[in-house]
Amino acid sequence: MSDAHTTGTNLAVDGKPMRLRDALRQARIEAADRTGVVVDLRDAEVARLEILNEALDPLFAQIPDQVDIFDRGISQGVTPRLWIDIVAHVLMGRDKRIYRFVQDTRYGRIVLAESHDVAKLVDAITDYIARRMIEREHALVATPMPVSVDDKPRRSGFWTFAFGFIVGVAALFGFALFAALRSF
């Protein structure tokens, strides 16, 4: 029996039809391996990040539409990155074969997961997304404002003003009377 990759047929070794998506994934892996060894390491990084991005499709399909804190995409800068949200992304390690899932914090960048295996990284990103969704739920919960219960009714400010006015007038009258009696 001949191999499906060498003969060009669409039957795999076990007799099941090979899906085009699986064949494309395998071709990307092989191309990334060849490219990683040869010259163009940046293209190999992008190819590996695209493989991971494709593996994350089922996870992101499960996120409800009203949750808009995740914005997945590959940035093609000097260091290619697969962004999960505004503070977390995946980049390739120094050897260009290891995935490194990192989060930027106010104290610097922390590594959340690191692996050669795409499935392990998908699990770590799934855990991260679940934690972020729980944080979002907690932030959206409205806490009731405390209600102050006063037993004593408040006095109006009018009587305080009237008492002060009367005391002030009496003091002025007393001062004027004292000044008048002293001049005699």
Side-chain angles (χ1 to χ4, degrees):
M1 184 168 221
S2 63
D3 191 14
H5 295 290
T6 57
T7 61
T9 64
N10 61 352
L11 292 178
V13 178
D14 58 357
K16 294 181 182 176
M18 183 175 216
R19 292 182 29 194
L20 178 61
R21 184 175 181 162
D22 293 337
L24 285 172
R25 182 175 183 275
Q26 185 63 31
R28 283 185 183 143
I29 291 172
E30 290 171 2
D33 286 339
R34 282 192 306 271
T35 307
V37 174
V38 186
V39 178
D40 204 3
L41 294 176
R42 187 176 174 282
D43 288 342
E45 287 181 72
V46 172
R48 289 182 184 275
L49 290 174
E50 286 175 352
I51 291 168
L52 177 63
N53 191 22
E54 198 173 280
L56 290 172
D57 284 341
L59 170 66
F60 278 86
Q62 295 175 13
I63 296 174
D65 291 335
Q66 64 267 20
V67 177
D68 58 354
I69 58 175
F70 303 108
D71 192 20
R72 182 175 56 141
I74 296 177
S75 65
Q76 306 238 354
V78 175
T79 304
R81 294 182 171 112
L82 171 61
W83 290 92
I84 305 302
D85 63 5
I86 193 128
V87 294
H89 61 274
V90 178
L91 64 143
M92 301 308 295
R94 288 184 180 253
D95 66 351
K96 309 301 182 203
R97 294 184 185 275
I98 189 165
Y99 295 100
R100 183 174 287 161
F101 181 41
V102 297
Q103 180 182 19
D104 294 328
T105 66
R106 70 173 77 171
Y107 303 112
R109 185 173 288 169
I110 58 172
V111 177
L112 299 175
E114 199 170 44
S115 177
H116 291 282
D117 188 18
V118 173
K120 288 182 182 177
L121 212 65
V122 168
D123 289 341
I125 293 171
T126 303
D127 292 341
Y128 172 79
I129 287 175
R131 286 193 309 270
R132 287 296 306 260
M133 289 176 68
I134 296 299
E135 288 174 8
R136 178 184 179 272
E137 287 176 8
H138 287 281
L140 292 177
V141 171
T143 56
M145 295 295 291
V147 178
S148 64
V149 178
D150 290 336
D151 293 338
K152 297 187 281 182
R154 293 191 60 197
R155 293 182 176 175
S156 69
F158 174 75
W159 294 112
T160 306
F161 173 75
F163 178 72
F165 183 76
I166 292 171
V167 169
V169 168
L172 281 175
F173 180 72
F175 180 70
L177 183 64
F178 178 73
L181 288 178
R182 196 171 159 101
S183 65
F184 278 126

